[in-house]
Amino acid sequence: MVERVKGTIGILTGGGDCPGLNPVIRAVVRRADMLNYKVLGIKNGWLGLVEGLTEPLTLISVSGILPRGGTILGTSRTNPLKDEADKKMVYENLKKLKIDYLIAVGGEDTLGVARKLATEGVKVVGIPKTIDNDIEGTDQAFGFDTAVSIVTEAIDRLHTTAESHHRVIVVEVMGRQTGWIAVVAGIAGGADCILIPEQPMSIEQISAILGKRHARGRLFSIVVVAEGFKLAGYDAAVTRDKQVDQFGHEHLGGIGEVVAQEIERRTGYETRVTVLGHVQRGGSPTAFDRVLCTRYGVKAVDLIEEGKLGEMVCLKGNRITSIPFEQAMNKLRYVDRELIETAEIFYG
Ligand code: F6P
């Protein structure tokens, strides 16, 4: 006997892309098919709901996407709540496209929109995605593990060239408001100094750390700096230009160059900069992220099946569970003090 279709789930991926989005989409479609839901892919994040741009997702269309980076649905940083007319279109399209349930995959911005819509009665669940790993309410967002492994490999490679040339190499990594990537990849790659938004440091402190290292005969150093780091005495993060996105975020970038110039000026050590940029968000997800995404995708559909709407799936220890949006997203998740202190043991 063919079971009746229980409803249509719309899925969208919003904000910066990252490895793991495709495994999430695949898991949602596979689980939804098993439980008799149809899935409609919404193109380009919230923009797709404003414009009514969708594609049906089937077992065939998600076949083979597990190891692929990026998102087959496309993404954008569109904020549909910024403009009343856009918001109205979202509601009209949800109705027109007969979307009964929504799965929003994204970071604090995308999930912030989902949270607001949930309070207005939209049947939505969220999946936490960001290489920055700064979403409160989950022990880990997906994409972070892959970014850390890319940065760790880069630090390993930079180590050998820094050592050969007796140089300081400053590695600028992503991390707008929190320094998760910098600290975790910095520990994994044996960084000699790690600079993060949570903890301003002065150029004197940084120079002293590098000086200590030189004094014990290590004539090269790796400094990892998160893009949102502020040098003590500077009141703002370094930005690429004056623009802000629809959620009000500045385009960060350039702190690596500032730190490198200051280090060279103060210490006289030859210094170079490497900005890893969007490489950190590209390519295939790690095995850890593929499994996390698969579990997140399955759980999101299960939440819909159980009627647990207005929640975000999350990782707690080793368990996948869920948490209401309003408990998940009140503040950012900053790097644990204990982790920072562990990193500091290896400075200098
Ligand atoms: O939000 C994740 C993130 O990777 C941040 O670390 C970074 O500041 C931002 O995205 C870069 O955004 P864009 O892709 O718009 O340059």
Side-chain angles (χ1 to χ4, degrees), residues 13-14 19-20 41 69 72 78-79 92 108 115 137 157 167 190 219 251 265 286 309 311 324 335:
T13 56
I72 58 166
T78 300
N79 179 359
E92 276 180 21
E108 46 150 354
R115 174 188 178 167
R157 290 178 185 277
R167 283 174 174 157
L219 303 183
H251 293 168
R265 202 161 58 84
T286 56
L309 303 159
E311 304 223 343
V335 181

Side-chain angles (χ1 to χ4, degrees), residues 16 77 130-132 174-176 227 240 251-252 278 281:
R77 293 197 184 275
T130 167
I131 64 163
D132 288 2
M174 284 187 174
R176 170 178 291 285
E227 60 184 353
R240 266 188 286 132
H251 293 168
L252 298 183
H278 293 82
R281 295 210 318 232

Side-chain angles (χ1 to χ4, degrees), residues 70-139:
T71 161
I72 58 166
L73 291 175
T75 186
S76 72
R77 293 197 184 275
T78 300
N79 179 359
L81 305 181
K82 218 173 154 253
D83 187 318
E84 268 310 311
D86 285 354
K87 187 174 171 190
K88 194 161 160 261
M89 288 311 295
V90 167
Y91 276 98
E92 276 180 21
N93 281 321
L94 281 173
K95 207 165 150 203
K96 195 163 107 200
L97 296 162
K98 299 191 169 56
I99 294 174
D100 303 296
Y101 308 97
L102 201 55
I103 296 179
V105 188
E108 46 150 354
D109 299 331
T110 305
L111 298 182
V113 173
R115 174 188 178 167
K116 174 78 176 108
L117 296 182
T119 63
E120 296 176 3
V122 176
K123 295 175 177 164
V124 54
V125 299
I127 301 183
K129 166 243 63 161
T130 167
I131 64 163
D132 288 2
N133 201 33
D134 56 4
I135 303 175
E136 180 66 18
T138 183
D139 288 354

